[in-house]
């Protein structure tokens, strides 16, 4: 038995007080499902803008939105309008950021295996910083700079040897990692020397990202300590601490705010005597709880002595996180958001495998019926961006809602899209 869905898990402008229907950005979720179809990602634009502003303020403008969490041209524009730079990790993300007219100098290029083509693109687009991840990349970058007769500003990605206490797949600060130069082994020192001796590379400082969905600020403070000690002899002007701040997905979880996260980082910097400017790259904490996904219930099947399966018209192709990381979610009925949720069911998708589970134990009202619209909150990060066409499912549409008006920012895929690249 569970009570009505917790307000804390819903986007800022969610209105669950006026009548039974749920409104976000002044738009009735049932109307949105009707107008745009399901599955549908609904983002609260005011919520997105407010998290961007909070981050910009908390980090004195030294903050890049990690586009991998959710990206389309409209999202890139929005983050940039609100004063953020953009962190991109591939040529594709860089392409979208530039398509949105984000100036190259406000883009930071990441990646543990950037190709010649990607580095060439980054140099031609004059990206503000390239975060160098390996010696092979240093070779490639110097060769390209020489060819183009161009210099570029770089940060070195280092692994501080700090455990972030998160899922193994999203933990990156430990030494045994595919990312960056390890501090303790002396490799990072060698990378610093090598970069400083380059004619083309201007080394501005260090970058670290310890992991993602981290609830505790302590590992960030610890990483700052390691970075500060390592950087002390060099007098770098910049230090970037990555992203990683966690968000609550289910009842009972809680996370620091962006401001609290920043305060902890700045405190640690002060204690460690860091004099450089300090920046960050949040992704999840900007977009995750800004969105809900709407689904239509297609079948409800009771398996005697076991459980009830409720199947919706999406699944692991629009939210692979439960299957990948065992992540938990909640669900509620937008038509009666104050309803008690008495029944425990397994919420599943429509893909051809048993692992296609959205919520292992979902609490739903007793009168849940076929044809109902169900919503899962906190799907704004790493949902659409990690989505796939498995089973040739069409990737869902995305709408931004604000002041009573929805606007489509990503159209639903069509069957023609599925064969567009077939020869
Ligand atoms: N900076 C770098 C270098 C990163 O690798 C990442 C995330 C971020 C910033 C942003 O981290 P955030 O603030 O979003 O935690 N697919 C996983 C998350 C993978 C995160 C990868 N890197 C998930 O769905 O939980």
């Amino acid at each position: 038995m569970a009570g009505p869905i917790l307000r804390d898990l819903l986007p800022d402008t969610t209105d669950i007080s006026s009548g039974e229907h749920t409104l976000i950005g002044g738009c009735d979720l049932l109307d949105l499902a009707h107008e745009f179809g399901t599955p549908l990602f609904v983002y609260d634009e005011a919520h997105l803008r407010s998290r961007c502003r909070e981050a910009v303020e908390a980090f004195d403008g030294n903050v890049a939105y990690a586009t991998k969490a959710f990206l389309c041209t409209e999202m890139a524009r929005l983050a940039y309008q609100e004063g953020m730079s953009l962190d991109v990790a591939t040529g594709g993300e860089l392409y979208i950021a530039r398509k949105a007219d984000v100036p190259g100098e406000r883009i930071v290029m990441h990646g543990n295996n950037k190709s010649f083509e990607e580095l060439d693109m980054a140099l031609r687009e004059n990206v503000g910083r390239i975060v160098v991840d390996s010696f092979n990349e240093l070779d490639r970058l110097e060769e390209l700079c020489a060819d183009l007769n161009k210099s570029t500003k770089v940060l070195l990605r280092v692994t501080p040897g700090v455990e972030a206490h998160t899922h193994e797949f999203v933990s990156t600060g430990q030494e045994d990692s595919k990312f960056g130069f390890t501090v303790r082994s002396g490799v990072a020192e060698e990378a610093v020397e090598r970069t400083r001796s380059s004619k083309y590379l201007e080394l501005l400082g260090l970058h670290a990202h310890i992991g993602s969905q981290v609830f505790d600020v302590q590992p960030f403070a610890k990483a700052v300590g390691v970075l500060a000690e390592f950087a002390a002899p060099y007098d770098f002007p910049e230090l970037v601490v990555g992203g990683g701040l966690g968000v609550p997905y289910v009842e009972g979880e809680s996370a620091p705010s962006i401001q609290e996260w920043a305060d902890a980082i700045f405190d640690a910097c002060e204690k460690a005597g860091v004099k450089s400017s300090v920046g960050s790259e949040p992704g999840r904490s900007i977009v995750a709880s800004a969105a809900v996904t709407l689904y239509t219930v297609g079948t409800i099947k009771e398996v005697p002595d076991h459980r009830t399966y409720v199947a919706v018209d999406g699944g692991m192709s629009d939210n692979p996180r439960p299957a990948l990381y065992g992540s938990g979610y909640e669900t509620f009925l937008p038509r009666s958001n104050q309803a008690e949720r008495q029944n425990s069911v397994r919420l599943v998708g429509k893909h051809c495998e048993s692992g296609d589970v959205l919520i292992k134990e979902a609490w739903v009202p007793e009168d849940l019926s076929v044809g109902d619209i169900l919503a899962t909150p906190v799907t704004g990060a790493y949902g659409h961006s990690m989505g796939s066409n498995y089973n040739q499912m069409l990737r869902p549409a995305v709408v931004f809602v604000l002041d009573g008006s929805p606007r489509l920012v990503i159209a639903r895929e069509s069957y023609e899209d599925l064969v567009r690249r077939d020869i």
Side-chain angles (χ1 to χ4, degrees):
M1 172 86 179
I5 186 76
L6 277 193
R7 180 70 189 77
D8 294 2
L9 296 174
L10 299 170
D12 287 355
T13 70
T14 308
D15 182 352
I16 47 178
S17 59
S18 53
E20 301 227 298
H21 287 197
T22 310
L23 275 65
I24 298 179
C27 298
D28 187 323
L29 294 183
L30 299 185
D31 293 343
L32 294 175
H34 184 71
E35 183 175 349
F36 298 99
T38 56
L40 181 69
F41 285 88
V42 179
Y43 280 81
D44 177 355
E45 185 168 337
H47 181 125
L48 289 172
R49 291 188 185 276
S50 126
R51 291 308 178 281
C52 290
R53 279 181 214 149
E54 185 184 351
V56 168
E57 225 165 85
F59 286 94
D60 276 337
N62 284 319
V63 60
Y65 166 59
T67 61
K68 67 205 80 183
F70 168 62
L71 181 61
C72 59
T73 45
E74 195 48 35
M75 183 60 214
R77 248 175 246 129
L78 184 154
Y80 175 63
Q81 281 165 3
E82 295 300 340
M84 297 184 93
S85 297
L86 296 193
D87 146 0
V88 300
T90 61
E93 289 177 353
L94 173 55
Y95 179 82
I96 294 178
R98 287 292 299 126
K99 266 275 170 198
D101 282 332
V102 175
E105 73 203 32
R106 297 292 298 279
I107 298 174
V108 184
M109 181 78 184
H110 278 281
N112 73 300
N113 179 20
K114 305 176 192 73
S115 67
F116 262 112
E117 290 72 22
E118 286 172 319
L119 289 170
D120 183 63
M121 189 174 167
L123 289 172
R124 287 177 199 274
E125 297 291 350
N126 296 309
V127 303
R129 308 278 182 276
I130 295 178
V131 182
V132 175
D133 211 285
S134 70
F135 289 110
N136 297 120
E137 184 181 339
L138 279 174
D139 294 340
R140 272 176 231 160
L141 199 51
E142 286 201 282
E143 192 182 325
L144 275 165
C145 285
D147 282 354
L148 298 171
N149 193 25
K150 239 180 169 168
S151 61
T152 186
K153 294 178 171 139
V154 302
L155 298 169
L156 290 180
R157 167 123 183 210
V158 297
T159 39
V162 169
E163 303 281 343
H165 310 300
T166 184
H167 193 286
E168 179 195 345
F169 293 178
V170 296
S171 180
T172 46
Q174 74 282 7
E175 286 185 0
D176 185 359
S177 163
K178 72 168 180 167
F179 297 102
F181 302 97
T182 47
V183 169
R184 211 165 338 186
S185 58
V187 177
E189 196 178 332
E190 195 185 329
V192 169
E193 296 310 332
R194 170 132 181 233
T195 311
R196 292 220 298 184
S197 69
S198 164
K199 188 168 137 199
Y200 298 103
L201 309 182
E202 185 187 346
L203 178 57
L204 293 180
L206 304 179
H207 177 287
H209 170 76
I210 58 169
S212 197
Q213 184 59 356
V214 183
F215 282 136
D216 180 10
V217 293
Q218 216 38 49
F220 293 101
K222 215 165 144 190
V224 164
V226 176
L227 296 172
E229 192 186 329
F230 173 71
Y234 301 113
D235 220 10
F236 292 130
E238 293 180 16
L239 173 66
V240 179
V241 298
L245 174 62
V247 303
Y249 281 82
V250 294
E251 293 184 8
E253 284 179 343
S254 70
S257 67
I258 294 173
Q259 184 65 55
E260 287 164 342
W261 178 54
D263 289 346
I265 289 166
F266 282 112
D267 268 7
C269 286
E270 203 179 314
K271 282 199 189 101
V274 172
K275 300 213 173 51
S276 45
S277 80
V278 177
S280 73
E281 285 163 353
R284 188 190 317 265
S285 54
I286 303 291
V287 295
S289 49
V292 303
T293 307
L294 303 181
Y295 299 103
T296 304
V297 174
T299 62
I300 299 178
K301 175 181 110 155
E302 267 171 55
V303 184
D305 303 327
H306 291 278
R307 69 184 86 251
T308 300
Y309 285 88
V310 174
V312 293
D313 53 354
M316 63 197 299
S317 55
D318 60 75
N319 187 1
R321 300 192 67 260
L324 265 176
Y325 318 116
S327 308
Y329 286 85
E330 302 270 354
T331 189
F332 70 100
L333 261 182
R335 71 166 158 80
S336 66
N337 54 51
Q338 289 307 309
E340 296 290 321
R341 295 173 298 156
Q342 301 95 335
N343 290 358
S344 164
V345 302
R346 182 155 291 180
L347 188 68
V348 298
K350 60 178 287 164
H351 290 277
C352 302
E353 57 178 282
S354 300
D356 176 27
V357 172
L358 286 168
I359 307 178
K360 262 188 160 163
E361 189 182 31
W363 291 94
V364 295
E366 260 168 1
D367 65 343
L368 176 78
S369 314
V370 167
D372 263 332
I373 302 298
L374 259 188
T376 53
V378 206
T379 53
Y382 304 108
H384 201 276
S385 71
M386 288 174 74
S388 74
N389 284 121
Y390 182 36
N391 290 137
Q392 303 306 328
M393 290 271 281
L394 304 177
R395 270 177 283 211
V398 179
V399 290
F400 282 9
V401 289
L402 179 71
D403 296 337
S405 305
R407 71 192 164 109
L408 191 62
V409 298
I410 304 179
R412 185 176 306 285
E413 265 179 337
S414 66
Y415 286 137
E416 297 87 79
D417 289 330
L418 296 178
V419 290
R420 204 173 294 287
R421 288 167 301 125
D422 285 12
I423 313 277

